[in-house]
Amino acid sequence: MFTFNPDKLYFFDGAMGTMLQSRGLKLREIPESLNITSPELIKSIHEEYLNAGADFITANTFGANRFKLAKSGYSVQDIITSGLGLVREAAGNNAHAVLDIGPTGRVMAPLGDASFSEVYDAVAEMVTAGKNLCDVILLETFTDLYELKAAILAALENSDLPVFATMSFDESGKTFFGASVDTMTATLEGLGITALGVNCSLGPVQLVPIVERICSLSRIPVMVQPNAGLPVMRDGVSHYDVTASEFAEVSRKFAQFGVSIFGGCCGTTPEHIRHMKAAVMSEGKHTRTINDSRTVICSASKIAEFGKRFAVIGERLNPTGKKLLQKALREGDTDYLLKEAVKQQEQGADVLDLNTGLPDIDEAEVLTRSLIEIQGIVNLPIQIDSSDYKALESGARIYNGKPLLNSVNGKAESLANVLPIAKKYGACVLGLTLDENGIPETAEERFRIARKIVEEAERIGIPRRNILIDCLALTASAQQKLVPETLKAIRMVKQELGVCTVLGLSNISFGLPRRPLVNRTMLIAAICAGLDAAIINPGDTDIKETLCAWNLLTGDEDDMQRYIAYCEEHPALSGANVQAVQKDAQKQDTPANLNSAIMKGLKEEAAEHTRNMLASRKPLEIIEQNIVPALDSVGKDYEAGKVFLPQLIKSAEAAKSAFEVLSSAMSSEGSGKSRGPVILATVYGDVHDIGKNIVRTIFENYNFSVIDLGKDVPPERIVEAVERDNVNVVGLSALMTTTVASMKETITKIRESRPDVKIIVGGAVLTPELAEYAGADYYARDAMEGVRILTGLLE
């Protein structure tokens, strides 16, 4: 088995697909099948990379999962066994054998139909097939952080092998599904993998700022496998534009950042690896400097850092004392939870506390289901709140990102059960200063419990930065003299243990008149003592104003601007008016109109608003004045990077629910005719259809009629569909450089039959230049640009 040496530099091989393409890989031929049909070809490529100096030889198993091999006639076991066998034959003991695993090709719920367990099982099958034949597992080219987490757990739980994991980013530093460099690093580094990093999608020059950022954040080794630049067409063949020497020179810069593991992706050859290794070895090993004290949690796309500025943890997703929430949890009314989650995000919460604990429900099942749905619509990090150990682990396991677990305490049973969960899933954990004897009265005793929690956590390998402490606010009405003890305990924990502190604030005012006055006064006292975050109602006007003013006095120029903006939006109110505003805010449990329901991705609310609007408005009017503008607004936010693909899909689904309500009324009025039709297809030889499926979803929710021909579609079938259905617009997708030629052939055949048809092309590998080469009329970089093009063509 391979053991990582932090003092060494390591080198993987380069592209397999590029080498196969140069040697005549045929369209529709499954590259992994060549392990069986052309073993000498695969073996010879491995030998070339070995001779170029690669320390790791990657098996030809990237797409060898049950979904992609379903109709191939080959089993996962056969492909992986043969693939790794060829690596062993070629490399012997001169290099490490790598089991290569790519994305499954499925989209995970709630955006798609693949469950966490389905992805896990598919990867586990690959790992089980290859674990006795390889030294390392490489999970590469992932764009969905959620899928990568499932894959990592499958690899770690079904083998003892080192696991390397890389994702593909665009130049903005985001993946296709919205994960950032920061959220990837925060999520992955605590899961127990050996290395993390970036591969594919971009050339080495474009990856420089991304790699530099990863190296500044990651506490585990960093791996980089760039493409050989960007694809261009020459003589009808796709080529990459970065030479081996240019590739090597940028790799030298990666070494300066502190990268430990190097390799190549699309377009790279043995020459690229040979030059890269020589340049990096001459540069030598560089040590990275990491800020080891940052306490962060994250969703897939958003970081919350404690201790940097005060954090608000929204408390409204807790059924204690909330009859409507209790009812929703018992009845499985997820939409109610989604409304509360969206509302707290809009009110300024930095984190959401999620508690689904009721005595008469399966808490683990309800908690995990609620987490999945909430993460599909709100991008805030989540504090998973449960006293049920099974529910806490279920939530930590399927959470998309790095969560905060609430909570552990000083009881031996709690320490033994909760801390291993936090350790396994790389989560932060909130410690409560109570034990078998209850909540101590003195600050010293609470500090003793806090220190016990911290020391036990560190003993099992949880770093201090992943521990937060709640010194527990008791009710002033019953235990007035103990309030100063809470403040003293916060100060002691902060100063002597150096961990971040959290407080459930509203307990302090229970049973007292004018509770907001007590809450906000306690808040400032606790902040002065060292409090970093509070579990509170983010809609509490008093708290919001107090924090806004506090940040003004203690923060930077941005906080000054936020305070001024807040005052402009919220003029000073009298006491009576403040109460009226707060009561009115409490009543706003539903989005104000159809537009906001769609923009927030609330399906049931969108349908309900639509039903109500039909009493006084025409269906077409609702579409034109509400649904389309709402979708357009979300689309613009998506293009501006304000929302990401999960939110875009959820908004589309909400719009679809509104269209379903309108359908019968539209038909009766004769106004239900949708726009189009438009044909969508992934071209011949390309078996990837995730991007095409997302485009279809967005098109349909803009009321376009879509004829989806699927993936790997021969040109003749597309031409036949154009003629049969009298279609004037065709959308073609390609995600492999090898199928750009197939796209060109398809467009040529369409032109021969119907020169008037307009053709839109897109896909991860496409560029405007490649679109022009293929003969397309339009290039759409994403679904929303496709909507704009299609709207112009059909209107």
Side-chain angles (χ1 to χ4, degrees):
M1 182 189 296
F2 168 75
T3 301
F4 183 84
N5 182 342
D7 297 322
K8 289 187 63 177
L9 295 169
Y10 295 96
F11 299 90
F12 271 64
D13 49 12
M16 173 62 73
T18 298
M19 298 290 284
L20 291 176
Q21 184 180 357
S22 69
R23 299 183 188 191
L25 178 68
K26 298 175 183 177
L27 284 175
R28 303 191 75 188
E29 193 168 17
I30 299 172
E32 292 81 8
S33 69
L34 297 176
N35 296 342
I36 296 172
T37 61
S38 300
E40 290 304 317
L41 170 61
I42 301 299
K43 182 180 175 182
S44 68
I45 293 172
H46 291 328
E47 289 171 343
E48 287 189 48
Y49 279 121
L50 180 69
N51 293 333
D55 305 311
F56 294 82
I57 302 298
T58 308
N60 182 32
T61 55
F62 178 83
N65 65 70
R66 61 175 63 167
F67 305 118
K68 293 184 177 180
L69 295 179
K71 298 180 181 179
S72 69
Y74 299 103
S75 72
V76 171
Q77 182 72 53
D78 289 343
I79 294 293
I80 289 180
T81 300
S82 59
L84 285 168
L86 291 172
V87 173
R88 289 298 189 192
E89 288 180 28
N93 294 321
N94 297 314
H96 298 288
V98 181
L99 172 60
D100 188 23
I101 300 177
T104 61
R106 302 284 300 279
V107 178
M108 293 180 67
L111 301 182
D113 60 357
S115 68
F116 190 92
S117 61
E118 284 179 311
V119 170
Y120 176 96
D121 291 343
V123 175
E125 182 180 22
M126 296 178 72
V127 170
T128 301
K131 65 182 179 181
N132 294 324
L133 299 171
C134 66
D135 304 304
V136 168
I137 296 172
L138 173 62
L139 302 169
E140 63 169 337
T141 325
F142 283 77
T143 58
D144 185 352
L145 184 60
Y146 200 26
E147 182 181 18
L148 181 52
K149 179 178 178 178
I152 287 172
L153 292 175
L156 292 174
E157 293 175 353
N158 291 278
S159 78
D160 296 323
L161 295 168
V163 176
F164 297 177
T166 59
M167 299 192 76
S168 295
F169 297 89
D170 61 28
E171 289 188 71
S172 72
K174 302 286 186 181
T175 72
F176 182 63
F177 283 87
S180 68
V181 168
D182 292 52
T183 59
M184 175 196 74
T185 306
T187 301
L188 300 189
E189 67 178 4
L191 290 177
I193 60 176
T194 298
L196 60 79
V198 58
N199 80 300
C200 203
S201 70
L202 297 171
V205 173
Q206 292 83 11
L207 279 182
V208 166
I210 293 173
V211 174
E212 185 174 20
R213 180 65 179 170
I214 295 174
C215 289
S216 72
L217 295 172
S218 176
R219 298 174 182 85
I220 64 175
V222 174
M223 177 178 188
V224 179
Q225 291 183 295
N227 288 347
L230 302 174
V232 295
M233 297 303 296
R234 276 201 310 270
D235 302 323
V237 180
S238 177
H239 296 273
Y240 286 80
D241 60 0
V242 171
T243 66
S245 58
E246 291 168 339
F247 188 87
E249 201 53 40
V250 183
S251 297
R252 188 191 301 273
K253 183 179 289 291
F254 294 153
Q256 293 168 358
F257 293 154
V259 172
S260 300
I261 306 159
F262 300 82
C265 204
C266 300
T268 58
T269 66
E271 276 303 297
H272 287 84
I273 302 306
R274 183 177 291 107
H275 280 74
M276 175 190 68
K277 183 169 184 177
V280 170
M281 291 301 291
S282 67
E283 181 66 36
K285 178 75 176 178
H286 286 252
T287 301
R288 290 183 289 122
T289 301
I290 306 297
N291 179 357
D292 203 44
S293 62
R294 293 173 71 240
T295 298
V296 299
I297 61 173
C298 68
S299 65
S301 60
K302 191 175 183 66
I303 286 277
E305 181 176 350
F306 295 97
K308 188 173 183 180
R309 67 191 308 272
F310 194 83
V312 173
I313 303 174
E315 68 179 5
R316 302 297 296 169
L317 292 176
N318 186 320
T320 304
K322 302 181 183 70
K323 292 182 179 180
L324 289 177
L325 181 54
Q326 293 173 13
K327 181 174 181 290
L329 291 173
R330 290 192 176 98
E331 296 177 355
D333 181 7
T334 307
D335 208 56
Y336 182 89
L337 272 73
L338 297 182
K339 286 189 296 182
E340 284 294 332
V342 169
K343 182 179 177 182
Q344 290 185 93
Q345 178 172 257
E346 292 176 341
Q347 291 169 335
D350 301 294
V351 178
L352 296 182
D353 179 89
L354 177 62
N355 184 311
T356 61
L358 289 174
D360 51 352
I361 65 172
D362 182 343
E363 186 177 350
E365 190 277 328
V366 173
L367 178 64
T368 53
R369 173 162 42 85
S370 300
L371 267 174
I372 291 170
E373 290 296 329
I374 290 172
Q375 288 187 123
I377 198 169
V378 172
N379 70 346
L380 293 181
I382 294 177
Q383 174 176 274
I384 302 172
D385 187 354
S386 178
S387 58
D388 182 322
Y389 304 138
K390 179 184 176 184
L392 204 61
E393 174 150 24
S394 296
R397 185 175 185 80
I398 62 90
Y399 180 76
N400 189 3
K402 177 182 179 181
L404 171 57
L405 304 184
N406 182 11
S407 57
V408 69
N409 59 57
K411 296 179 182 178
E413 178 191 1
S414 178
L415 292 168
N417 283 281
V418 176
L419 291 182
I421 298 172
K423 173 68 168 62
K424 177 176 181 177
Y425 297 104
C428 283
V429 63
L430 180 60
L432 308 184
T433 54
L434 61 87
D435 59 14
E436 289 83 356
N437 299 314
I439 302 174
E441 292 191 351
T442 67
E444 287 75 13
E445 279 299 299
R446 292 188 214 180
F447 174 77
R448 178 189 61 80
I449 296 172
R451 183 170 58 194
K452 177 182 179 182
I453 293 170
V454 170
E455 290 175 350
E456 181 61 19
E458 289 188 313
R459 187 188 68 78
I460 71 166
I462 299 174
R464 193 167 293 211
R465 62 178 178 273
N466 280 356
I467 307 165
L468 300 91
I469 295 294
D470 186 340
C471 293
L472 301 174
L474 303 178
T475 56
S477 58
Q479 297 168 297
Q480 181 182 5
K481 293 183 179 180
L482 297 186
V483 173
E485 296 299 314
T486 297
L487 298 173
K488 182 179 179 182
I490 292 172
R491 189 174 294 108
M492 293 176 69
V493 166
K494 189 70 177 176
Q495 293 178 354
E496 298 185 39
L497 296 178
V499 298
C500 289
T501 56
V502 178
L503 197 65
L505 189 69
S506 58
N507 288 342
I508 197 74
S509 62
F510 185 79
L512 292 171
R514 296 192 63 187
R515 293 186 64 185
L517 172 60
V518 179
N519 288 343
R520 71 172 185 257
T521 305
M522 179 64 178
L523 176 64
I524 292 302
I527 290 176
C528 291
L531 188 68
D532 297 296
I535 305 171
I536 53 179
N537 177 5
D540 186 318
T541 303
D542 291 285
I543 293 293
K544 290 173 71 172
E545 292 198 338
T546 299
L547 282 175
C548 194
W550 173 262
N551 290 332
L552 159 70
L553 298 173
T554 60
D556 55 24
E557 187 173 338
D558 287 341
D559 290 302
M560 171 77 76
Q561 297 306 317
R562 292 188 190 100
Y563 175 78
I564 293 171
Y566 180 87
C567 292
E568 290 175 348
E569 294 174 12
H570 305 85
L573 299 173
S574 66
N577 285 338
V578 168
Q579 292 181 358
V581 169
Q582 290 177 335
K583 289 181 180 179
D584 182 61
Q586 292 171 1
K587 293 177 182 178
Q588 294 177 6
D589 290 331
T590 59
N593 53 44
L594 175 59
N595 298 57
S596 62
I598 291 172
M599 293 169 69
K600 295 169 185 175
L602 299 174
K603 293 186 289 186
E604 292 184 15
E605 295 301 324
E608 182 63 26
H609 277 299
T610 304
R611 280 189 286 268
N612 294 337
M613 293 166 71
L614 278 172
S616 59
R617 296 175 61 189
K618 299 287 186 180
L620 194 58
E621 181 185 344
I622 295 172
I623 292 172
E624 293 176 344
Q625 297 182 13
N626 298 92
I627 297 177
V628 172
L631 284 171
D632 285 344
S633 180
V634 175
K636 290 175 182 176
D637 284 347
Y638 171 72
E639 292 172 342
K642 296 178 181 178
V643 301
F644 300 100
L645 187 62
Q647 290 81 25
L648 182 67
I649 295 294
K650 280 293 184 181
S651 291
E653 291 175 349
K656 185 175 182 179
S657 71
F659 273 120
E660 289 171 353
V661 173
L662 292 172
S663 60
S664 60
M666 291 165 66
S667 298
S668 65
E669 293 183 2
S671 60
K673 186 177 180 181
S674 59
R675 298 179 288 177
V678 56
I679 285 175
L680 290 182
T682 302
V683 297
Y684 179 78
D686 202 318
V687 296
H688 301 82
D689 63 354
I690 290 177
K692 184 263 298 172
N693 291 343
I694 290 169
V695 170
R696 182 193 66 213
T697 299
I698 301 300
F699 279 11
E700 287 176 341
N701 287 287
Y702 269 81
N703 206 31
F704 292 114
S705 174
V706 176
I707 301 170
D708 186 352
L709 299 182
K711 58 188 177 183
D712 190 18
V713 185
E716 296 77 13
R717 187 177 166 209
I718 297 175
V719 172
E720 179 186 338
V722 168
E723 296 286 0
R724 182 188 64 236
D725 298 304
N726 192 29
V727 174
N728 295 315
V729 182
V730 174
L732 299 177
S733 172
L735 274 84
M736 300 165 59
T737 56
T738 54
T739 53
V740 174
S742 179
M743 179 176 280
K744 181 178 178 64
E745 178 188 354
T746 300
I747 293 174
T748 299
K749 289 187 179 297
I750 294 173
R751 297 275 190 237
E752 291 173 355
S753 173
R754 286 280 303 277
D756 59 313
V757 170
K758 298 299 182 184
I759 299 172
I760 309 170
V761 298
V765 73
L766 266 292
T767 64
E769 292 74 23
L770 290 179
E772 182 179 359
Y773 161 80
D777 296 293
Y778 301 94
Y779 163 70
R781 69 178 183 275
D782 55 37
M784 290 312 303
E785 185 161 343
V787 167
R788 284 199 302 276
I789 295 169
L790 196 54
T791 300
L793 288 174
L794 296 181
E795 291 186 353

